[in-house]
Amino acid sequence: MKFTSMIALALISSNAFSAVNIFTPTGGAFTGTQSETLYWDMLSNSATKSSLAAISYTGGFNLSDHGDFHHEADGSGMVISSESSGEDFSIGVPLNIGDVVGSSRTFSTIGFTGTTDYGGTITSSPATTTYYGLKFSMGGATYYGWVKFTEDADTQSLLKWAYESVAGTAITISESTGPSATDTQSSLYTLSKNLRSNFNYLLMSGNYANMNTYDCNLFDKNNMCISAGGRVTTIDNPSSHHSAAVVVLGHKISPHIRIGGFLDQSVNHNMPSGVDMSNKNPMAGAFAVWNHQADGLGLQMKLANAYLDKDVTTSRAVVGTSEAGRGRTDLNTQSYVGELSYAFNYQDSTIVRPYFALRYTRIKQDGYTEDTTASVTSPLTYAKLSDRSTSALMGVKVNHALTPKTNLTASLGVEQDLDHKSDQLVATGVSDLTSENFYNNIRHTRPVASVGAYYAVAKNQRLSGDIYYQQLPFQSTDSATAYVNYTIGF
């Protein structure tokens, strides 16, 4: 039998994702006698009978009756075990389901390759079915594939063939036309890691807003305060960068009570690959503060919350036969904090404020189904995913008057999870998938710290800046936020 490779006149289109194209001839098999030459096109399900001499090299192969695989010096060949000494042919290697055809294999380089008579690798009686690995050249690039055929003493039949559409990418012999559970599971593992980074960001945003900076406590004759600024946040493992514009309003109801609220509008999210979060819908929150003394010293009680609702688009990475599933869902976070602190003077120019707080945070991602497209035929459906935590926080905040107009600020604390529960990442749509553990590598005890300064531009105007560091629960992740704002009391 003979296989003959042809050079394709044009490179087929391929996207950035690996894809295996599998073809079956019309009727399920293309059969001829042992005296006939069978020709097939690796790029389609086309198969014809033709004499070997009549075939021009246009992207196909030939199977004929002499047990050899003919190819030109164009980068094409068959997987072989060895080159035959003293003969102008090689010995082809029959392969099995699960074998990989790629650059690590040895391919024939001389005139033709034996598959039956010359190579002695399969017999024609009784009928035998086998796979052979192939490579061929298109547009100057190498592609890998395989062919399945059967033969007996009188007939031979082409049953199936396939190639990997991305140049230089190995192909695993498989007749499955859908994604495998193993490859899909691997893509879910990567998605799970990237989603944990997203949850880390939401936790950081709510914590930062409520515990440190989003306050407005500079008042004038109307007992009102407004602050405008911007923040930039960096998170590692995996890396992401975020920026937002912030507006905070405050109102002093009495010498001892003030209230306020804030809006944190995302400007840009540079997320890990596979996760994209929209910029619409700002994070919003409110706070109320009671001071025992009108000057802010002594006992203080603070209640605050933050709320954020975002559209999130996920895209699974392609691993082997897995598909590039893409879908959109809603991600919501709510955070509630109660803080008790006590401020006192230290050496006249420094105010020290030890604090203790309790915080409850809930993050919920709605269930959703990936979009069905021409390249995604087995979309996954995800169950809702939520994370719930109750944490205790304690530490100290310091405010030091460096000059009559310039103050330095700092804080140092630790937060401890009292309770932390996370759902598993559960997906269906491909058989034998298991849930991904969304809860592993949780860090239950985490330090927090900040440094900053503010400058009194005028009696009722202040320019402030601070840098806030926090360890986050998932994947032993660190975050840093820089925030600059201008406050006016009126």
Side-chain angles (χ1 to χ4, degrees):
M1 302 173 74
K2 298 179 180 177
F3 293 95
T4 306
S5 67
M6 314 296 172
I7 301 176
L9 297 180
L11 177 65
I12 65 166
S13 174
S14 64
N15 55 30
F17 300 113
S18 173
V20 174
N21 295 320
I22 301 179
F23 300 104
T24 301
T26 303
F30 186 68
T31 303
T33 67
Q34 285 286 2
S35 62
E36 293 178 307
T37 296
L38 307 184
Y39 164 83
W40 77 98
D41 178 9
M42 286 295 291
L43 309 183
S44 71
N45 66 347
S46 173
T48 61
K49 296 177 182 179
S50 176
S51 65
L52 183 59
I55 296 298
S56 61
Y57 287 81
T58 56
F61 291 87
N62 283 282
L63 177 62
S64 118
D65 63 335
H66 291 296
D68 53 19
F69 167 66
H70 282 257
H71 60 91
E72 290 188 335
D74 60 0
S76 299
M78 172 182 280
V79 173
I80 61 173
S81 59
S82 65
E83 302 259 328
S84 178
S85 176
E87 297 285 347
D88 191 23
F89 69 90
S90 306
I91 300 174
V93 177
L95 301 175
N96 301 299
I97 292 289
D99 287 342
V100 177
V101 181
S103 60
S104 62
R105 292 282 188 176
T106 300
F107 289 87
S108 54
T109 59
I110 56 180
F112 57 88
T113 304
T115 58
T116 54
D117 308 280
Y118 295 104
T121 56
I122 63 173
T123 60
S124 58
S125 182
T128 300
T129 301
T130 193
Y131 300 87
Y132 280 92
L134 305 172
K135 73 170 182 176
F136 58 96
S137 179
M138 292 194 300
T142 298
Y143 292 77
Y144 297 102
W146 53 263
V147 62
K148 177 185 180 183
F149 66 85
T150 187
E151 66 172 316
D152 56 30
D154 301 314
T155 62
Q156 53 188 350
S157 298
L158 293 169
L159 303 178
K160 202 178 292 283
W161 54 89
Y163 77 97
E164 166 58 60
S165 66
V166 177
T169 301
I171 184 172
T172 300
I173 297 177
S174 172
E175 295 191 29
S176 172
T177 57
S180 72
T182 300
D183 291 339
T184 303
Q185 194 73 53
S186 295
S187 70
L188 282 176
Y189 172 80
T190 301
L191 177 62
S192 176
K193 181 178 179 180
N194 291 338
L195 285 175
R196 283 195 289 266
S197 176
N198 208 30
F199 275 43
N200 267 332
Y201 169 70
L202 296 179
L203 284 168
M204 186 286 308
S205 298
N207 297 353
Y208 178 76
N210 286 336
M211 291 305 301
N212 285 274
T213 307
Y214 292 177
D215 197 354
C216 206
N217 57 3
L218 182 63
F219 302 101
D220 207 345
K221 60 183 179 180
N222 292 318
N223 293 321
M224 296 295 295
C225 174
I226 185 170
S227 172
R231 68 170 174 87
V232 176
T233 299
T234 299
I235 299 175
D236 64 8
N237 192 29
S239 176
S240 64
H241 305 276
H242 313 264
S243 59
V246 181
V247 175
V248 186
L249 293 175
H251 174 54
K252 186 165 68 174
I253 297 177
S254 73
H256 301 279
I257 299 174
R258 57 189 173 86
I259 60 174
F262 71 86
L263 291 176
D264 177 300
Q265 174 60 56
S266 297
V267 175
N268 182 61
H269 294 291
N270 185 358
M271 304 292 292
S273 175
V275 178
D276 181 56
M277 187 160 57
S278 71
N279 288 326
K280 71 177 185 178
N281 299 339
M283 178 171 62
F287 56 86
V289 180
W290 171 84
N291 277 103
H292 180 252
Q293 297 179 207
D295 60 3
L297 295 177
L299 189 66
Q300 182 187 87
M301 293 176 55
K302 178 180 179 181
L303 296 175
N305 82 307
Y307 178 88
L308 178 63
D309 190 85
K310 292 285 190 180
D311 289 335
V312 173
T313 301
T314 64
S315 302
R316 279 188 296 123
V318 173
V319 180
T321 62
S322 71
E323 298 178 331
R326 181 180 175 89
R328 188 186 65 81
T329 185
D330 182 75
L331 187 60
N332 174 275
T333 182
Q334 300 179 47
S335 176
Y336 303 91
V337 174
E339 180 187 271
L340 183 66
S341 64
Y342 188 90
F344 60 90
N345 283 315
Y346 175 75
Q347 295 183 349
D348 296 331
S349 61
T350 302
I351 297 175
V352 180
R353 182 183 296 276
Y355 69 89
F356 175 80
L358 289 175
R359 181 183 67 231
Y360 172 77
T361 304
R362 188 194 73 171
I363 303 174
K364 181 174 71 72
Q365 178 177 285
D366 290 344
Y368 67 103
T369 300
E370 295 172 343
D371 299 328
T372 300
T373 65
S375 60
V376 181
T377 58
S378 300
L380 299 184
T381 297
Y382 299 87
K384 72 175 181 65
L385 181 64
S386 65
D387 177 85
R388 303 161 300 282
S389 62
T390 301
S391 304
L393 305 94
M394 62 184 302
V396 61
K397 303 175 185 180
V398 178
N399 187 320
H400 174 70
L402 187 64
T403 71
K405 289 190 173 184
T406 304
N407 285 58
L408 303 180
T409 62
S411 69
L412 181 65
V414 63
E415 57 183 41
Q416 172 67 50
D417 286 340
L418 304 178
D419 183 60
H420 199 148
K421 293 184 175 67
S422 291
D423 294 337
Q424 303 283 328
L425 178 62
V426 178
T428 57
V430 173
S431 299
D432 301 322
L433 291 179
T434 59
S435 60
E436 284 292 333
N437 187 1
F438 204 71
Y439 189 68
N440 61 349
N441 295 327
I442 290 288
R443 179 184 285 167
H444 293 285
T445 304
R446 303 172 295 271
V448 295
S450 70
V451 293
Y454 61 87
Y455 176 76
V457 179
K459 178 183 177 181
N460 64 335
Q461 297 182 39
R462 186 167 63 203
L463 177 64
S464 306
D466 76 292
I467 298 174
Y468 177 69
Y469 166 80
Q470 181 183 10
Q471 287 188 343
L472 299 171
F474 294 106
Q475 302 177 168
S476 299
T477 301
D478 299 319
S479 71
T481 297
Y483 176 55
V484 176
N485 66 94
Y486 197 88
T487 303
I488 300 175
F490 59 98

